[in-house]
Amino acid sequence: MKRLIIIPLFLALATAAFAQEYEWETAEIDGSLTGVTSPSKDNVAQTIGHFEGKTYVAPNGKRFSKNSIVGKTARLVIDAQPAMARVKDVIGYSTEAMSAEYPESALSNWFIDLLMAKVGELSGRKVDIGIANFGGIRVDMPQGDIILDDMLSMFPFKNQLAYVEHTGREIRAILEDMAAHKFHVLGGVRVVSDQGRLISAEIGGEPIDDDRIYGVATISFLLDGGDGLTLRDNAVSLTLYDQVDIIDAVLEYIYAETAAGRPIEYRTDGRVVVKDYKKKRK
């Protein structure tokens, strides 16, 4: 994943992060004019350049008046770097790049499984299934060093964690609706669909028991219509952890893994199979 800095003339970057219905798009830096590249917290002069009196000296050696468009832009970016230093802290290491791909991916599985573990810790109760949304994962996991900004960009929305109890009958209905439209990020389950129909569904390796009460880990955005889900409806019980955002759980996990000397890595496991998916995509 490219790490980008906002510099007019140096790159094109379009973001819209005010709601999860918005699109999020990035573009690579074009440093052909100045040689500017994305800085870390310790190499600002080498990557963005520096000023000598009234002259901006770019990384490629070209010189511009401080009153030129390039000079004024460089001044804004250079002056912003101290405030941005904290988000460039290296907080972990990823053995490979991961992206949130439908219907299942290493990144989405990693996210929902850690969310389930955190909700289980908060609730002190068994979490059988996790439901989140692909749209809440905004950027990819980079290969190599993970900086704080990677995670803040990946999970920028202030959605809180929640524990919901549902009957197996209700969960089956939720999964059937997903099969007919689109699956969300799922954990604790193994589902197979074909031609818009739910063929099989297991929780914890067992067929869903319609009369059993299951614990569901999810996020506040999906309780009342977010991404088409209303997980509050027909709930047996609901507990919202309004002091714990997604990013809190994610960072806690990464800091703990890093402290233990473990990299961030994950896997797919066949938990969501859409038999006709490739056919649809052609």
Side-chain angles (χ1 to χ4, degrees), residues 122-145:
L122 291 168
S123 66
R125 306 174 76 175
K126 188 175 188 300
V127 173
D128 300 291
I129 176 174
I131 303 176
N133 60 318
F134 281 97
I137 307 173
R138 305 309 295 192
V139 301
D140 297 344
M141 178 77 77
Q143 181 178 22
D145 287 343

Side-chain angles (χ1 to χ4, degrees), residues 210-248:
D210 285 351
D211 297 320
R212 179 180 165 184
I213 304 299
Y214 292 93
V216 183
T218 189
I219 59 175
S220 55
F221 179 69
L222 303 181
L223 295 177
D224 299 298
D227 230 340
L229 288 176
T230 52
L231 297 181
R232 186 189 300 270
D233 288 358
N234 302 318
V236 175
S237 72
L238 166 64
T239 305
L240 179 64
Y241 300 98
D242 55 8
Q243 300 301 311
V244 185
D245 292 343
I246 288 173
I247 191 63
D248 299 325

Side-chain angles (χ1 to χ4, degrees), residues 22 29 77 87 101 114 136 144 153 166 174 228 248 258:
Y22 283 65
I29 291 173
V77 174
V87 300
E101 299 176 359
L114 77 84
S153 297
H166 273 299
I174 291 169
D248 299 325
T258 301

